[in-house]
Amino acid sequence: MAKLPKPEELLQINYNPPPTEDWMDRPVELKQGNFCWGAKGKNLAAVEFPNARDWTPVEADWKLPKDWEGTVLEAMADRLSKYRSFKVFMDICVRCGACADKCHFFIGGGDPKNMPVLRAELMRSVYRKYFTTAGKYLGKLAGARELDLNVLKEWWYYFYQCTECRRCSVFCPYGIDTAEITLMAREFTNLLGLNTDWISGPVANCYMKGNHLGLEPHAIMNSIEGMIDDIETITGIRINPSFNRKGAEILFVTPSGDLFADPGTFTAMGYMMLFHELGIDYTWSTYASEGGNFGFFTSNEMAKRLNAKIYAEAKRLGVKYIIGGECGHMWRVLNQYMDTWNGPADFMEVPKSPITGTVFDNAASTKMIHVTEFTADLIKNNKIKLDPSRNDDLVITYHDSCNTARGMGLLEEPRYIINSVCNKFHEMPDNTIRERTFCCGSGTGLNASENMEIRMRGGYPRANAVKFVRDKHGVNMLANICAIDRATLSASMDYWVPGVRVTGVHELVANALIMTGEKERETNLRGEPLPGKGGNE
Amino acid sequence: MSLKNILSEKKDELLASWFDRILDTYPVETAKFLKNQKDRFANPVGQAIHKGIGDIFQELLQNGDIEKVSGFLDSIIRVRAVQEFSASQAVAFIFFLKSVIRDGLADISLTPELYDELATLESQIDSLALIAFDIFMQCREKLYDIKANEMKNMTYRLLQRANMVTEIKDAEKETNFIAIHKKEVNS
């Protein structure tokens, strides 16, 4: 029989965390629920990443290559000379603390090392030791420390607890982009084969098959055909999208999550219904079949390699320009990096709407526009017929996805569309939307299941604002324009704000869209009775 | 004067002390933030705890309605259930209230009647702790549900699209079940 503790032993519960010593002296402790499983060797080998082997974060031996310290420091020196921003961000922080309480992981979890300033300090301390005179000679006095295994584990643990959402950078008086520091940390850890399974699997899949899920052409077509069947059931209209068609005017690229994961699939149905109604000349590609880019969470070089297929496919098919679907980090990559990585795309034309004639000069160089820009322009020019009352059972709020809001300033278009296709829309509080939007808590490849605790913690500030509008206005639907949001906010709502579901903006558009020749619609895209049909009132 | 009246009069000071005790379970830097940032959207954790304990205290002194108190407890425990606390650490804040009250009554000479009332109140606080354990477990079970559902949704949709599974609806019984048909891969 197990020994029963005595009453006085039971009273010895320590309710408080251990006394806090200096953060530098506190060894990192990897807690389950906060990190993702380690990468598999086969996935690292598939893309020729270094030190490809299976590894487990909780084991003491991380099977690191010889002289891993040298590898990291050499890479750090290289990036410091290559990227001026990285050098400036290492030097310029005055530790004013403006960013400290702006990170969703710190706000929801309370771990001080998730304060952006302290998270960055994990790397700055090493930078000082090896790259500044003061740090070299004064060591800890100058806030410097040596790179050792504990430091490396701390980097890995905390830089994979940052979603690169850049909320903190909005508040930094110097404009330090903490996401870029995380990007660097991930580059360095990636050089040692320290990636996660949830990231490296999709990267390998994308490299080999064109999309994160590893869907081969027939699977993509099969999935889309399933959606076409559903669309026919709902509208009576059979649509016929084309695949890999040379000579099409437009190539359409969306995150592969839209093809398989509900509620993303309803968003994908929405795109297709809209494009069919307009009769535009577009094609899907089963090769450039991924708008997202998990390579962006490993290294600059890998992100570039995965991104290359979009222009390559546009060139092969001879399209005039590209429309991209609703996705978050996809758009940071497309808007800020694609042009310099794989451009100039001078074999295409500046995007021009075939329906309204609007020229999208903002994409003059990349030749790729966001589908909400395209749709907002249609509505503005009164080119589609809409019945917003079909969405009357929904009380909607809008979550600005971090990358589209802060990464490319796409703030008005989604709102304009939602207000045109729905009658009941309520904003969340000001300090939780637009540039100051809170992350879903699961971006940058943190949307695995094994790290559910940290996802929920990180998702709390967003969910808390949703809860407020649910209680105040009866909000029951959270709209967004990001595939990761659609998947992860569903989980977050389930835990924090039951009763609120998640939708892409184009699902709402398609519900309201009056299509030529459609039968009287009885249900929405989810197969649920429309308001006023089937006792839904 | 009854114990509840005394506690009502000392409400602000008792709540402040209870709040501080709870914040002590967080690292110092975090506690400072949780205490000082009053915006409920910038500091949802601190404000949830602050509001939650106020509501619990109020309800304890009034009717002690279990359903109401459960809701208030939930707003705090749902947060602590996903933070870095063990189960005992996550719900220990209920017990803090006992010592907070005893400390708060230190300057009052307790009559036998007041002692009786105090014993009853402490027993009520103990039952809150029991409810708290239930809520904590519900939260953790919910987390596991979410994990399992994510996995199920991901694989089911893939199997469905690959024609590996067919969902058959039984209209009469209104239940669904999944029949898995083995499919010859090379046929």
Side-chain angles (χ1 to χ4, degrees), chain A residues 283-333:
Chain A
T283 186
W284 291 84
S285 166
T286 56
Y287 303 105
S289 48
E290 179 61 72
N293 191 330
F294 270 37
F296 191 56
F297 312 141
T298 63
S299 73
N300 183 59
E301 197 53 39
M302 193 68 234
K304 180 181 170 178
R305 284 162 85 191
L306 294 185
N307 174 259
K309 67 177 182 285
I310 296 181
Y311 278 160
E313 185 66 342
K315 197 168 195 174
R316 187 180 76 88
L317 298 176
V319 300
K320 287 185 182 162
Y321 65 96
I322 312 168
I323 297 181
E326 298 182 14
C327 185
H329 75 276
M330 159 180 169
W331 277 98
R332 185 167 188 212
V333 168

CSV table of all heavy atoms in Angstrom, one decimal, chain A residues 283-333:
chain,number,residue,atom,x,y,z
A,283,THR,N,-7.0,29.6,-62.9
A,283,THR,CA,-6.7,28.2,-62.8
A,283,THR,C,-6.1,27.9,-61.4
A,283,THR,O,-5.5,28.8,-60.8
A,283,THR,CB,-5.8,27.7,-63.9
A,283,THR,OG1,-5.6,26.3,-63.8
A,283,THR,CG2,-4.4,28.3,-63.8
A,284,TRP,N,-6.4,26.7,-60.9
A,284,TRP,CA,-5.7,26.3,-59.7
A,284,TRP,C,-4.4,25.6,-60.2
A,284,TRP,O,-4.3,25.1,-61.3
A,284,TRP,CB,-6.5,25.2,-59.0
A,284,TRP,CG,-7.7,25.6,-58.3
A,284,TRP,CD1,-8.9,25.7,-58.9
A,284,TRP,CD2,-7.9,25.9,-56.9
A,284,TRP,NE1,-9.9,26.1,-57.9
A,284,TRP,CE2,-9.3,26.2,-56.7
A,284,TRP,CE3,-7.0,25.9,-55.8
A,284,TRP,CZ2,-9.8,26.5,-55.5
A,284,TRP,CZ3,-7.6,26.3,-54.6
A,284,TRP,CH2,-8.9,26.6,-54.4
A,285,SER,N,-3.4,25.5,-59.3
A,285,SER,CA,-2.2,24.7,-59.7
A,285,SER,C,-2.1,23.6,-58.6
A,285,SER,O,-2.3,23.9,-57.4
A,285,SER,CB,-1.0,25.6,-59.6
A,285,SER,OG,0.2,24.7,-59.6
A,286,THR,N,-1.8,22.4,-59.1
A,286,THR,CA,-1.6,21.3,-58.1
A,286,THR,C,-0.1,21.2,-57.7
A,286,THR,O,0.3,20.4,-57.0
A,286,THR,CB,-2.1,20.0,-58.7
A,286,THR,OG1,-1.4,19.7,-59.9
A,286,THR,CG2,-3.6,20.0,-58.9
A,287,TYR,N,0.7,22.1,-58.3
A,287,TYR,CA,2.1,22.2,-57.9
A,287,TYR,C,2.4,23.3,-57.0
A,287,TYR,O,3.0,23.1,-56.0
A,287,TYR,CB,3.0,22.2,-59.2
A,287,TYR,CG,2.6,21.0,-60.1
A,287,TYR,CD1,1.9,21.2,-61.3
A,287,TYR,CD2,3.1,19.8,-59.7
A,287,TYR,CE1,1.5,20.1,-62.0
A,287,TYR,CE2,2.7,18.7,-60.5
A,287,TYR,CZ,1.9,18.8,-61.7
A,287,TYR,OH,1.6,17.8,-62.4
A,288,ALA,N,2.0,24.5,-57.4
A,288,ALA,CA,2.1,25.7,-56.5
A,288,ALA,C,0.8,25.6,-55.7
A,288,ALA,O,0.0,26.5,-55.8
A,288,ALA,CB,2.2,27.0,-57.3
A,289,SER,N,0.7,24.6,-54.9
A,289,SER,CA,-0.6,24.3,-54.3
A,289,SER,C,-0.5,24.7,-52.8
A,289,SER,O,-1.3,24.1,-52.0
A,289,SER,CB,-1.0,22.8,-54.4
A,289,SER,OG,0.2,22.1,-54.1
A,290,GLU,N,0.3,25.6,-52.5
A,290,GLU,CA,0.5,26.1,-51.1
A,290,GLU,C,0.8,27.5,-51.0
A,290,GLU,O,1.8,27.9,-51.5
A,290,GLU,CB,1.5,25.2,-50.4
A,290,GLU,CG,1.8,25.6,-48.9
A,290,GLU,CD,0.5,25.4,-48.1
A,290,GLU,OE1,0.2,24.2,-47.8
A,290,GLU,OE2,-0.1,26.4,-47.7
A,291,GLY,N,-0.1,28.3,-50.4
A,291,GLY,CA,0.3,29.7,-50.3
A,291,GLY,C,1.1,29.9,-49.0
A,291,GLY,O,2.0,30.8,-49.0
A,292,GLY,N,0.9,29.1,-48.0
A,292,GLY,CA,1.6,29.2,-46.8
A,292,GLY,C,3.1,28.8,-47.0
A,292,GLY,O,3.4,28.3,-48.0
A,293,ASN,N,3.9,29.2,-46.0
A,293,ASN,CA,5.3,28.9,-46.2
A,293,ASN,C,6.0,28.6,-44.8
A,293,ASN,O,6.5,29.5,-44.2
A,293,ASN,CB,6.0,30.1,-46.8
A,293,ASN,CG,7.4,29.8,-47.3
A,293,ASN,OD1,8.1,28.9,-46.7
A,293,ASN,ND2,7.8,30.5,-48.3
A,294,PHE,N,5.9,27.3,-44.4
A,294,PHE,CA,6.5,26.9,-43.2
A,294,PHE,C,8.0,27.0,-43.2
A,294,PHE,O,8.7,27.0,-42.2
A,294,PHE,CB,6.0,25.5,-42.7
A,294,PHE,CG,4.8,25.6,-41.9
A,294,PHE,CD1,3.8,26.5,-42.1
A,294,PHE,CD2,4.6,24.7,-40.8
A,294,PHE,CE1,2.6,26.5,-41.4
A,294,PHE,CE2,3.4,24.7,-40.0
A,294,PHE,CZ,2.5,25.7,-40.3
A,295,GLY,N,8.6,27.1,-44.4
A,295,GLY,CA,10.0,27.3,-44.5
A,295,GLY,C,10.4,28.6,-43.8
A,295,GLY,O,11.5,28.8,-43.3
A,296,PHE,N,9.5,29.6,-43.8
A,296,PHE,CA,9.7,30.9,-43.2
A,296,PHE,C,10.0,30.7,-41.7
A,296,PHE,O,10.5,31.6,-41.0
A,296,PHE,CB,8.5,31.7,-43.4
A,296,PHE,CG,8.6,33.2,-43.0
A,296,PHE,CD1,9.6,33.9,-43.6
A,296,PHE,CD2,7.8,33.8,-42.1
A,296,PHE,CE1,9.8,35.3,-43.3
A,296,PHE,CE2,7.9,35.1,-41.8
A,296,PHE,CZ,8.9,35.9,-42.4
A,297,PHE,N,9.6,29.5,-41.1
A,297,PHE,CA,9.8,29.3,-39.7
A,297,PHE,C,11.1,28.5,-39.5
A,297,PHE,O,11.4,28.0,-38.3
A,297,PHE,CB,8.6,28.6,-39.1
A,297,PHE,CG,7.3,29.2,-39.4
A,297,PHE,CD1,6.2,28.4,-39.7
A,297,PHE,CD2,7.2,30.6,-39.5
A,297,PHE,CE1,5.0,29.0,-40.1
A,297,PHE,CE2,6.0,31.2,-39.9
A,297,PHE,CZ,4.9,30.4,-40.1
A,298,THR,N,11.9,28.3,-40.5
A,298,THR,CA,13.1,27.6,-40.4
A,298,THR,C,14.3,28.4,-40.7
A,298,THR,O,15.2,28.7,-39.9
A,298,THR,CB,13.2,26.3,-41.3
A,298,THR,OG1,13.1,26.7,-42.6
A,298,THR,CG2,12.0,25.4,-40.9
A,299,SER,N,14.4,28.9,-42.0
A,299,SER,CA,15.5,29.7,-42.4
A,299,SER,C,15.1,30.5,-43.6
A,299,SER,O,14.1,30.2,-44.3
A,299,SER,CB,16.7,28.9,-42.8
A,299,SER,OG,16.5,28.2,-44.0
A,300,ASN,N,15.8,31.6,-43.8
A,300,ASN,CA,15.5,32.5,-44.9
A,300,ASN,C,15.6,31.7,-46.2
A,300,ASN,O,14.8,31.8,-47.1
A,300,ASN,CB,16.5,33.7,-44.9
A,300,ASN,CG,16.3,34.7,-46.0
A,300,ASN,OD1,15.2,35.3,-46.1
A,300,ASN,ND2,17.2,34.9,-46.8
A,301,GLU,N,16.7,30.9,-46.3
A,301,GLU,CA,17.0,30.2,-47.5
A,301,GLU,C,15.8,29.2,-47.9
A,301,GLU,O,15.4,29.1,-49.0
A,301,GLU,CB,18.3,29.5,-47.4
A,301,GLU,CG,18.9,29.0,-48.7
A,301,GLU,CD,19.1,30.1,-49.7
A,301,GLU,OE1,19.4,31.3,-49.4
A,301,GLU,OE2,18.8,29.8,-50.9
A,302,MET,N,15.4,28.5,-46.8
A,302,MET,CA,14.3,27.5,-47.1
A,302,MET,C,13.0,28.2,-47.5
A,302,MET,O,12.3,27.7,-48.4
A,302,MET,CB,14.1,26.7,-45.8
A,302,MET,CG,13.2,25.5,-46.0
A,302,MET,SD,14.1,24.2,-47.0
A,302,MET,CE,12.9,23.9,-48.3
A,303,ALA,N,12.7,29.3,-46.8
A,303,ALA,CA,11.5,30.1,-47.2
A,303,ALA,C,11.6,30.5,-48.7
A,303,ALA,O,10.6,30.4,-49.4
A,303,ALA,CB,11.4,31.3,-46.3
A,304,LYS,N,12.7,30.9,-49.1
A,304,LYS,CA,12.9,31.3,-50.5
A,304,LYS,C,12.7,30.2,-51.4
A,304,LYS,O,12.1,30.3,-52.5
A,304,LYS,CB,14.3,31.9,-50.6
A,304,LYS,CG,14.7,32.4,-52.0
A,304,LYS,CD,16.1,32.9,-52.0
A,304,LYS,CE,16.6,33.2,-53.4
A,304,LYS,NZ,18.0,33.8,-53.4
A,305,ARG,N,13.3,29.0,-51.0
A,305,ARG,CA,13.2,27.8,-51.9
A,305,ARG,C,11.7,27.4,-52.1
A,305,ARG,O,11.3,27.1,-53.2
A,305,ARG,CB,13.9,26.6,-51.3
A,305,ARG,CG,15.4,26.7,-51.5
A,305,ARG,CD,16.2,25.8,-50.5
A,305,ARG,NE,16.3,24.5,-51.0
A,305,ARG,CZ,16.7,23.4,-50.3
A,305,ARG,NH1,17.0,23.6,-49.0
A,305,ARG,NH2,16.8,22.2,-50.8
A,306,LEU,N,11.0,27.4,-51.0
A,306,LEU,CA,9.6,27.0,-51.1
A,306,LEU,C,8.7,28.0,-51.8
A,306,LEU,O,7.8,27.7,-52.5
A,306,LEU,CB,8.9,26.8,-49.7
A,306,LEU,CG,9.5,25.6,-48.8
A,306,LEU,CD1,8.7,25.5,-47.6
A,306,LEU,CD2,9.5,24.3,-49.6
A,307,ASN,N,9.1,29.3,-51.7
A,307,ASN,CA,8.3,30.3,-52.3
A,307,ASN,C,8.5,30.3,-53.8
A,307,ASN,O,7.6,30.7,-54.6
A,307,ASN,CB,8.7,31.7,-51.7
A,307,ASN,CG,8.1,32.9,-52.4
A,307,ASN,OD1,8.7,33.5,-53.3
A,307,ASN,ND2,6.8,33.1,-52.2
A,308,ALA,N,9.7,29.9,-54.3
A,308,ALA,CA,10.1,30.0,-55.7
A,308,ALA,C,9.0,29.3,-56.6
A,308,ALA,O,8.9,29.7,-57.7
A,308,ALA,CB,11.4,29.3,-55.9
A,309,LYS,N,8.3,28.3,-56.1
A,309,LYS,CA,7.4,27.6,-57.0
A,309,LYS,C,6.3,28.4,-57.5
A,309,LYS,O,5.7,28.1,-58.5
A,309,LYS,CB,6.9,26.3,-56.3
A,309,LYS,CG,6.0,26.6,-55.1
A,309,LYS,CD,5.4,25.4,-54.5
A,309,LYS,CE,4.5,25.7,-53.4
A,309,LYS,NZ,5.2,26.1,-52.1
A,310,ILE,N,5.9,29.5,-56.7
A,310,ILE,CA,4.7,30.3,-57.1
A,310,ILE,C,5.0,31.0,-58.4
A,310,ILE,O,4.3,30.9,-59.4
A,310,ILE,CB,4.3,31.2,-56.0
A,310,ILE,CG1,3.9,30.4,-54.8
A,310,ILE,CG2,3.2,32.2,-56.5
A,310,ILE,CD1,3.4,31.3,-53.6
A,311,TYR,N,6.2,31.7,-58.5
A,311,TYR,CA,6.5,32.4,-59.7
A,311,TYR,C,6.8,31.4,-60.8
A,311,TYR,O,6.5,31.6,-62.0
A,311,TYR,CB,7.7,33.3,-59.5
A,311,TYR,CG,7.4,34.7,-58.9
A,311,TYR,CD1,8.3,35.4,-58.3
A,311,TYR,CD2,6.0,35.2,-59.0
A,311,TYR,CE1,8.0,36.7,-57.7
A,311,TYR,CE2,5.7,36.4,-58.4
A,311,TYR,CZ,6.7,37.1,-57.8
A,311,TYR,OH,6.4,38.4,-57.2
A,312,ALA,N,7.5,30.3,-60.4
A,312,ALA,CA,7.9,29.3,-61.5
A,312,ALA,C,6.6,28.8,-62.2
A,312,ALA,O,6.6,28.6,-63.4
A,312,ALA,CB,8.7,28.1,-60.8
A,313,GLU,N,5.6,28.5,-61.3
A,313,GLU,CA,4.3,28.0,-61.9
A,313,GLU,C,3.6,29.0,-62.7
A,313,GLU,O,3.0,28.7,-63.8
A,313,GLU,CB,3.5,27.4,-60.7
A,313,GLU,CG,2.2,26.7,-61.2
A,313,GLU,CD,2.4,25.4,-61.9
A,313,GLU,OE1,3.5,25.2,-62.4
A,313,GLU,OE2,1.4,24.6,-62.1
A,314,ALA,N,3.6,30.3,-62.2
A,314,ALA,CA,3.0,31.4,-63.0
A,314,ALA,C,3.6,31.5,-64.3
A,314,ALA,O,3.0,31.7,-65.3
A,314,ALA,CB,3.1,32.7,-62.2
A,315,LYS,N,4.9,31.3,-64.4
A,315,LYS,CA,5.7,31.5,-65.6
A,315,LYS,C,5.3,30.3,-66.5
A,315,LYS,O,5.1,30.5,-67.7
A,315,LYS,CB,7.2,31.5,-65.3
A,315,LYS,CG,8.0,32.0,-66.5
A,315,LYS,CD,9.4,32.2,-66.0
A,315,LYS,CE,10.2,33.1,-67.0
A,315,LYS,NZ,11.5,33.5,-66.5
A,316,ARG,N,5.3,29.1,-66.0
A,316,ARG,CA,5.0,27.9,-66.8
A,316,ARG,C,3.6,28.0,-67.4
A,316,ARG,O,3.4,27.6,-68.6
A,316,ARG,CB,5.1,26.6,-65.9
A,316,ARG,CG,5.0,25.3,-66.6
A,316,ARG,CD,5.1,24.1,-65.6
A,316,ARG,NE,3.9,23.9,-64.9
A,316,ARG,CZ,2.9,23.2,-65.3
A,316,ARG,NH1,2.9,22.5,-66.4
A,316,ARG,NH2,1.8,23.0,-64.5
A,317,LEU,N,2.7,28.5,-66.6
A,317,LEU,CA,1.3,28.5,-67.1
A,317,LEU,C,1.1,29.7,-68.0
A,317,LEU,O,0.1,29.8,-68.6
A,317,LEU,CB,0.3,28.5,-65.9
A,317,LEU,CG,0.4,27.2,-65.1
A,317,LEU,CD1,-0.6,27.3,-63.9
A,317,LEU,CD2,0.0,26.0,-65.9
A,318,GLY,N,2.0,30.7,-67.9
A,318,GLY,CA,1.8,31.9,-68.7
A,318,GLY,C,0.7,32.8,-68.2
A,318,GLY,O,0.0,33.5,-69.1
A,319,VAL,N,0.4,32.9,-66.9
A,319,VAL,CA,-0.7,33.7,-66.4
A,319,VAL,C,-0.3,35.2,-66.4
A,319,VAL,O,0.9,35.5,-66.5
A,319,VAL,CB,-1.1,33.3,-65.0
A,319,VAL,CG1,-1.6,31.9,-65.0
A,319,VAL,CG2,0.0,33.5,-64.0
A,320,LYS,N,-1.3,36.1,-66.3
A,320,LYS,CA,-0.9,37.5,-66.3
A,320,LYS,C,-0.6,38.0,-64.9
A,320,LYS,O,0.1,38.9,-64.7
A,320,LYS,CB,-2.1,38.3,-66.9
A,320,LYS,CG,-2.2,38.2,-68.4
A,320,LYS,CD,-3.3,39.1,-68.9
A,320,LYS,CE,-3.4,38.9,-70.5
A,320,LYS,NZ,-4.7,39.4,-70.9
A,321,TYR,N,-1.3,37.4,-63.9
A,321,TYR,CA,-1.0,37.8,-62.5
A,321,TYR,C,-1.6,36.7,-61.6
A,321,TYR,O,-2.2,35.7,-62.0
A,321,TYR,CB,-1.5,39.2,-62.1
A,321,TYR,CG,-3.0,39.4,-62.1
A,321,TYR,CD1,-3.8,39.3,-61.0
A,321,TYR,CD2,-3.7,39.7,-63.3
A,321,TYR,CE1,-5.2,39.5,-61.0
A,321,TYR,CE2,-5.1,39.9,-63.4
A,321,TYR,CZ,-5.8,39.8,-62.2
A,321,TYR,OH,-7.1,40.0,-62.2
A,322,ILE,N,-1.4,36.9,-60.3
A,322,ILE,CA,-1.8,35.9,-59.3
A,322,ILE,C,-2.7,36.5,-58.3
A,322,ILE,O,-2.5,37.6,-57.8
A,322,ILE,CB,-0.5,35.3,-58.6
A,322,ILE,CG1,0.6,35.0,-59.6
A,322,ILE,CG2,-0.9,34.1,-57.7
A,322,ILE,CD1,1.9,34.7,-58.9
A,323,ILE,N,-3.8,35.7,-57.9
A,323,ILE,CA,-4.6,36.1,-56.7
A,323,ILE,C,-4.3,35.1,-55.6
A,323,ILE,O,-4.2,33.9,-55.9
A,323,ILE,CB,-6.1,36.1,-57.1
A,323,ILE,CG1,-6.4,37.2,-58.1
A,323,ILE,CG2,-6.9,36.4,-55.8
A,323,ILE,CD1,-7.9,37.2,-58.5
A,324,GLY,N,-4.1,35.6,-54.4
A,324,GLY,CA,-3.8,34.7,-53.3
A,324,GLY,C,-5.0,34.7,-52.3
A,324,GLY,O,-5.7,35.7,-52.2
A,325,GLY,N,-5.2,33.5,-51.7
A,325,GLY,CA,-6.3,33.3,-50.8
A,325,GLY,C,-6.1,33.9,-49.4
A,325,GLY,O,-5.1,34.7,-49.2
A,326,GLU,N,-7.0,33.6,-48.5
A,326,GLU,CA,-7.0,34.1,-47.2
A,326,GLU,C,-6.0,33.4,-46.3
A,326,GLU,O,-6.2,32.2,-46.0
A,326,GLU,CB,-8.4,34.0,-46.5
A,326,GLU,CG,-9.4,34.8,-47.2
A,326,GLU,CD,-10.8,34.7,-46.5
A,326,GLU,OE1,-10.8,34.2,-45.4
A,326,GLU,OE2,-11.8,35.1,-47.2
A,327,CYS,N,-4.9,34.0,-46.1
A,327,CYS,CA,-3.8,33.4,-45.2
A,327,CYS,C,-3.0,34.5,-44.5
A,327,CYS,O,-3.0,35.6,-45.0
A,327,CYS,CB,-2.9,32.5,-46.1
A,327,CYS,SG,-1.7,31.6,-45.1
A,328,GLY,N,-2.4,34.1,-43.4
A,328,GLY,CA,-1.7,35.1,-42.6
A,328,GLY,C,-0.2,35.2,-43.0
A,328,GLY,O,0.1,36.1,-43.8
A,329,HIS,N,0.6,34.3,-42.5
A,329,HIS,CA,2.1,34.5,-42.8
A,329,HIS,C,2.4,34.4,-44.2
A,329,HIS,O,3.4,34.9,-44.7
A,329,HIS,CB,2.9,33.4,-42.0
A,329,HIS,CG,2.8,32.0,-42.6
A,329,HIS,ND1,1.7,31.2,-42.3
A,329,HIS,CD2,3.6,31.4,-43.4
A,329,HIS,CE1,1.9,30.0,-42.9
A,329,HIS,NE2,3.0,30.1,-43.6
A,330,MET,N,1.5,33.7,-45.0
A,330,MET,CA,1.7,33.7,-46.5
A,330,MET,C,1.8,35.1,-47.0
A,330,MET,O,2.7,35.3,-47.8
A,330,MET,CB,0.4,33.0,-47.1
A,330,MET,CG,0.2,33.3,-48.5
A,330,MET,SD,-1.3,32.4,-49.0
A,330,MET,CE,-1.7,33.1,-50.6
A,331,TRP,N,1.0,36.0,-46.5
A,331,TRP,CA,1.0,37.3,-47.0
A,331,TRP,C,2.2,38.2,-46.5
A,331,TRP,O,2.6,39.1,-47.2
A,331,TRP,CB,-0.3,38.0,-46.7
A,331,TRP,CG,-1.2,37.6,-47.8
A,331,TRP,CD1,-2.1,36.6,-47.8
A,331,TRP,CD2,-1.2,38.0,-49.2
A,331,TRP,NE1,-2.7,36.4,-49.0
A,331,TRP,CE2,-2.2,37.3,-49.9
A,331,TRP,CE3,-0.5,39.0,-49.9
A,331,TRP,CZ2,-2.4,37.4,-51.3
A,331,TRP,CZ3,-0.7,39.2,-51.2
A,331,TRP,CH2,-1.7,38.4,-51.9
A,332,ARG,N,2.7,37.8,-45.3
A,332,ARG,CA,4.0,38.5,-44.9
A,332,ARG,C,5.1,38.2,-45.9
A,332,ARG,O,5.8,39.0,-46.3
A,332,ARG,CB,4.4,38.2,-43.5
A,332,ARG,CG,5.6,39.1,-43.1
A,332,ARG,CD,5.9,39.1,-41.7
A,332,ARG,NE,7.0,40.1,-41.5
A,332,ARG,CZ,7.9,40.1,-40.6
A,332,ARG,NH1,8.0,39.1,-39.8
A,332,ARG,NH2,8.8,41.0,-40.6
A,333,VAL,N,5.1,36.9,-46.2
A,333,VAL,CA,6.2,36.4,-47.2
A,333,VAL,C,6.0,37.0,-48.5
A,333,VAL,O,6.9,37.5,-49.1
A,333,VAL,CB,6.1,34.9,-47.2
A,333,VAL,CG1,6.9,34.3,-48.4
A,333,VAL,CG2,6.6,34.3,-45.9
